[in-house]
Amino acid sequence: MALPVAPKPVLRRFHQARWDEKIIFELSTPGERGILVQQSEPAATEALALREDRLAPLRRTAAPVLPELAQMRVVRHYLRLSQENLGADFNIDIGQGTCTMKYSPKINETLIGTPKLMDLHPLQDEASIQGVLEIFWRMEQLLAEISGMARVSLQTQGGSAAIWANIAMIRAYHESNGDGQVRDEVITTIFSHPSNAACAKAAGYKVITLMPDADGYPDIDALRAAVSPRTAALMITNPEDTGIYNAKIREFVDIVHEAGGLAAYDQANANGILGITRASDAGFDLCHFNLHKTFSTPHASGGPGAGASCVSEKLVPFLPGPTIDKVAEKFVINRDHPQSVGVVAPFYGVAPNVVRAYAWIMALGADGLRQAAETAVLNNNYLLAKVLEIPGASAPYAEGKRRIEQVRYSWQELFEDTGVSSEEIGIRMSDFGMHYWTSHHPYLVPQPFTLEPTESYSKAEIDEYVAVLAHVAGEARSNPEIVRTAPHNQTVHHIHHDDLDDPARWAISWRAYQRKYPSN
Amino acid sequence: MSNQVTHPYIPNSVPAVREQMLAAVGAADIEEFYADIPASLRVQGSLNLPAPFLAEAELERHVSSLLNKNTSTRETLSFLGAGTYNHYVPAVVDEVISRSEFLTAYAGEPYEDHGRFQALFEYQSMMAELLNMDVVNVPTYDGMQAAATALAMAGRITGRRGIVLVSDANPDALSKVSDYVRSFMDLSIVPSINGTADLQAAALAIGADTAALWIQTPSFHGALEDQGEQLARLAHDAGALVVVGTDPIAYGALAPPADWGADIVCGDIQSLGIHQWFGGGRGGFIAVHDDPTFVLEMPSRLFGLESTDVEGEYGFGDVAWDRTSFALREEGKEWVGTAAALWGIAAGVYLASMGPTGMAELGETLLARTAYAAQKLAGVDGVQLCDSALHLREFAIDFSNAALSSTEAVAALRVRGIEPGVVLPGNCLLVCVTEQITAADIDTLAATLTAVLKEN
């Protein structure tokens, strides 16, 4: 072979790292140390000796069987595992629809990596934490403007926790009006995140779930039939995970208000409507944002994220405490909220993520936020057109309508033609270094997949993702076996599932595995 | 377009590319995509936000200038605890969790995200060893949520409503738990005696409707409960479960609660390699024995080891997925969402680095320095210990007979570069000693406190 060598083939010949790494316990060598720790001074040891009568019965007799590894071996093990993980920085991450996988700017990592944030204690002298309090306070103002709501709590660590905070406020609000006992139902929609239904149930509510009408919109007649004096709240997403914007959202809110209920807006899908429309415009009483989705903080392998609960004036007294207020040019922590639902999470929130999200908004401003939203929507509709060119793919509901920032697609036609399922397509996609997500149950859309391109991916990258998707769909017709037996280029091969649902056979820790499957 | 800037975070803000893409979908302009949003719901004009810092250098200067107004616990002598602890974070931990393969990943399948499944399975496994229990969840948000869920689990398992708390709990955790479980359960509190549980009062409080006996050890005041076995017997004899809230930091030296009868153990993992983060670096664990009655009540994800098509290859997957709200919505167990996975990976790296010897030595250091600090501060004129229990990391002192109130003493010591602790009701102060605080630091606190009390 000799030059020329360019260009590369259209599809990347990807292979994920495969270190065939052992479980860390198998790497243990007795006596090795990963780090040495501070030893107590003789005076301290003597002080403890005086308490030995009380301490002796509490002492551990057999040491915990933790692994023993020298430091570089710990590093090598975990960096091998990291290589076997496909972060958003590495792939065209439009396949994890509903997750808003956007770029987490590197400058934000630099900004948070200071002792003046990492090594702050939440109960320090207020005079020594004015900077971080100011960022929290400013962040609240930014989100109040973006949502149109009166006040914001940044206390929760994720979207579902923010939903919980919202339902806790709804419960407290109705109780304060004396009809907490009567209002015992919460209405949601099937295409709203499952945590809306699940948090309502955990707070003691009966859950009513609205199904979509023939066009994919939440059924407004079903809502009219569902509301009653028992209605505590409507908890709804818009656009839902279908990417269809419900134009009647104001009517939905009005119907619930007329029945005396509150309306809570799950804004997990806000990325396409930043600066376009606001929760307050549709009359909502509460909403929440996921800072790890819309506002760019890294998803951290599944958290910590950060949630923001935003409320209208009448819900302000019920906000989780404490709040961070500005009094006479000083930032203060205010715990004096007698009607508050109390503490829903420790202290003030996930500080690193609040700072990252603040930096992201301040890098964009009002015009930039709108540009991000508009580009996310342009990318999504461009992607939609390209996906629909693939034989066997469809976008159920609202035919011919534009979508907002994501689409729930279906491979039903491909499945009928080939017997290859969406789940199998997804695993094959990983062979090309792509994520792919079928997303939440129940599978109302048959053979579903949900793509959300956000504003972060270039046209060329979207084209590459679609090229891989088309290739895999083509394989389902021409060589279904290669799809069914996927993955081929991954860290591990096809994983079995039977043991995971059987209490006698599952292994949730290495010690349980060793007990259940003793080696010969 | 609303803006002509080609923003580095938005590749397709290049005007020519946008035109190309619009043409490809047959749209005249972006507005067409928003046709479904009624005019009455549209934002008129622009949001009223501050002008952005478009140049990265300007952004860096702005945010840094705000953060630089803070004084960190590295710049003072900090005895602050009460839920967030200044433990040493090994450099290895930060190296691993700042790898963007972990930092920027989310919810991929166990094929392309094999690494995070294995790292979290190993976290579960190392916690299981430390706690001497077989099952630990992928972290939930924090110890408060873990306690709320552990108690709710006890309610579902026993079919009973009663929770009997016999320890001094963190007031914030109590606030969280009370509101979380109140639709299904009733909480009663048996006041502690001299720092630990009042056994006789506990016996009277536990009855036929008790779902859970709730023990916190160390308590909010750092007291170690040493009547665990008796308490567990009381609960079990009444058909109730024993739920123990704890901090795993000293279980290299101390017997874990499962050894004296705990059924569900829960707490925070912040101590295990997570910075203080202004109180925002928290993850929660829930541990149970390998009994499906308990495991199937857990709301969090549980990663399990599995076989693959290749011999000797480790695969992973979600254990008993059909108990979660992801699978069953409101019919699942409570709810689950994005919580604290990266902190779980951090805690795993921490435990792997520390090993059994490191955890045993750290436990001894914490116990010894706590005992020393209590001894020294009890020797300050006018200051008394609030109880005589054995303490881990925290203890409360009483200023009733001192020249200053605890609030005044804090103000006087802050001027001298010391954060002496967290003021408690009743003119007390909660003092926290981690391994970062040396005997010499404790001497400094005692001497400075003596001096400020004498001056007044």
Side-chain angles (χ1 to χ4, degrees), chain A residues 247-267:
Chain A
K248 294 179 184 163
I249 193 66
R250 176 90 218 190
E251 288 172 65
F252 274 64
V253 172
D254 290 344
I255 289 167
V256 174
H257 280 165
E258 279 161 29
L262 295 172
Y265 190 169
D266 177 338
Q267 296 217 258

Side-chain angles (χ1 to χ4, degrees), chain A residues 64 69 115 123 184 186 228 233 288 295 330 350 371 382 437 457 461 480-481 487:
Chain A
L69 283 82
L123 300 174
D184 63 351
V186 165
S228 76
H288 91 268
F295 298 98
K330 290 279 181 207
V350 183
Q371 191 178 42
Y382 176 78
W437 210 19
Y457 302 96
E461 289 171 319
E481 208 46 30

